């Protein structure tokens, strides 16, 4: 899964993307280091609102901390994929993505993986992301078992009716 990030507005990140574009696969593998799995924080708000803060810490070749904030309702598909163990997480430079979208021709013309920076791999689902997805009424993809989401609770209440019997 790629997080498309602005390389225009962030000179430090732009420098890392430029390094990645010039590095051989071997140099990239040897030098690129991130601090374990990305950090995740969730804030649940009223009326099915929720935010997820996703943090990445780069250790080498140049130390860098970045945090990205997502409105859960607008990114349910992407956040659901972050719940699948083994999913690779990449930072993709916005300029490269824009250029790839503008290209025409064979699919191999769209490959930009040599320009992306690895941010980690999902080791296991994150319960708080499941909770945020449930809070906004989105389907859950992970193997964890949080309580029913609001939409499921409402549907169950409608089936039971006013007497509480289904």
């Amino acid at each position: 899964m790629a997080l498309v990030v602005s390389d225009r507005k962030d000179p430090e990140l732009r420098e890392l993307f430029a390094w990645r574009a010039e590095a051989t696969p071997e140099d990239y593998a040897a030098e690129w280091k991130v601090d374990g799995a990305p950090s995740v924080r969730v804030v649940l708000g009223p009326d099915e609102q929720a935010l997820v803060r996703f943090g990445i810490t780069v250790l080498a070749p140049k130390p860098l901390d970045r945090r990205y904030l997502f409105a859960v309702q607008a990114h349910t598909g992407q956040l659901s994929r972050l719940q699948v163990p083994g999913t690779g997480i990449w930072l993709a430079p916005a300029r490269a993505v824009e250029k790839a979208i503008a290209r025409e021709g064979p699919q191999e013309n769209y490959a930009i993986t040599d320009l992306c920076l690895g941010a980690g791999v999902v080791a296991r689902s994150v319960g708080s992301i499941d909770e945020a997805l449930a809070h906004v009424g989105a389907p859950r993809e992970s193997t964890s078992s949080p309580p029913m989401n609001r939409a499921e609770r409402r549907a169950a209440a409608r089936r039971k009716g006013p007497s509480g019997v289904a």
Side-chain angles (χ1 to χ4, degrees), residues 37-138:
S39 65
V40 176
R41 298 256 194 253
V42 174
V43 176
L44 303 178
D47 301 324
E48 298 182 8
Q49 296 176 20
L51 299 172
V52 170
R53 186 186 76 175
F54 190 78
I56 298 166
T57 301
V58 177
L59 302 174
K62 176 184 177 180
L64 183 70
D65 281 317
R66 288 297 179 267
R67 306 291 177 255
Y68 302 99
L69 192 62
F70 300 100
V72 175
Q73 188 68 42
H75 296 93
T76 57
Q78 296 89 337
L79 291 169
S80 292
R81 282 192 295 273
L82 280 177
Q83 295 295 79
V84 180
T87 300
I89 305 166
W90 297 86
L91 297 179
R95 278 187 219 199
V97 171
E98 290 164 2
K99 286 180 184 177
I101 290 170
R103 290 185 186 134
E104 294 181 14
Q107 188 172 2
E108 57 268 11
N109 288 354
Y110 298 95
I112 63 165
T113 54
D114 290 349
L115 303 173
C116 296
L117 300 168
V121 175
V122 175
R124 64 184 183 287
S125 65
V126 178
S128 59
I129 291 179
D130 263 348
E131 185 179 351
L133 291 168
H135 186 70
V136 301

